[in-house]
C-alpha cells in the first residue's frame, strides 16, 4: 500500500512539473535556458505531463506503475540517444543538462515504477 502511494505521489508531482517544463520551454529564450527549448521537445513534455495527470486523476495503480516505469525508460533512452546521435536528437536538440536530468530522472522513475510494486 505504501509503495503504491509512492508511485502515485511521484506521478502526482512529476506530471505537473512536466507540463510546466514544456511551457517554460516556450517562454524562456533559448540563449538563457540550460535545457533544449526545442518546440517538439516542449510539446513532448506538455503531452506526457497531461497524460500523466490524467492517469493520476483516474488513479489506477497498475497504470501509474506502468507510466512511471515507461517514462523512466524513455528518459534513459533520451540520455543514450543524445550521446549516440539517435532519433530524435536532431528534433529535440538536447543539452548536457537535459542528458543529466534524463539519466537521473530515468533511473528514479524506473526504480520507483518497478520496485514499488
Amino acid at each position: 500500500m505504501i509503495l503504491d502511494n509512492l508511485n502515485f505521489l511521484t506521478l502526482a508531482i512529476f506530471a505537473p512539473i512536466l507540463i510546466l517544463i514544456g511551457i517554460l520551454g516556450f517562454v524562456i529564450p533559448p540563449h538563457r535556458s540550460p535545457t533544449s527549448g526545442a518546440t517538439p521537445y516542449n510539446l513532448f513534455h506538455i503531452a506526457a505531463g497531461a497524460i500523466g495527470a490524467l492517469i493520476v486523476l483516474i488513479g489506477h495503480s497498475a497504470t501509474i506503475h506502468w507510466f512511471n516505469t515507461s517514462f523512466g525508460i524513455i528518459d534513459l533512452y533520451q540520455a543514450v540517444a543524445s550521446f549516440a546521435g539517435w532519433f530524435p536528437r536532431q528534433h529535440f536538440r538536447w543539452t548536457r543538462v537535459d542528458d543529466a536530468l534524463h539519466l537521473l530522472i530515468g533511473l528514479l522513475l524506473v526504480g520507483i515504477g518497478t520496485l514499488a510494486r
Side-chain angles (χ1 to χ4, degrees):
M1 185 65 159
I2 291 172
L3 296 179
D4 276 339
N5 289 340
L6 178 60
N7 261 293
F8 179 86
L9 181 61
T10 298
L11 188 52
I13 293 169
F14 188 59
I17 290 173
L18 281 173
I19 295 169
L20 180 61
I21 288 170
I23 293 169
L24 288 175
F26 288 116
V27 175
I28 298 172
H31 66 280
R32 292 190 180 253
S33 177
T35 59
S36 169
T39 297
Y41 191 53
N42 297 334
L43 293 173
F44 168 76
H45 281 112
I46 293 168
I51 292 167
L54 180 62
I55 291 170
V56 166
L57 290 174
I58 293 168
H60 187 254
S61 179
T63 307
I64 292 169
H65 286 279
W66 174 86
F67 184 91
N68 286 342
T69 304
S70 298
F71 199 87
I73 291 168
I74 290 168
D75 262 3
L76 292 174
Y77 171 82
Q78 289 184 88
V80 172
S82 178
F83 285 106
W86 297 342
F87 179 83
R89 183 178 183 198
Q90 66 277 19
H91 302 292
F92 281 12
R93 298 190 313 263
W94 298 295
T95 67
R96 293 296 173 228
V97 172
D98 291 312
D99 297 339
L101 289 170
H102 289 147
L103 186 60
L104 175 66
I105 293 168
L107 290 171
L108 286 171
L109 287 175
V110 168
I112 290 168
T114 58
L115 298 177
R117 277 206 108 135

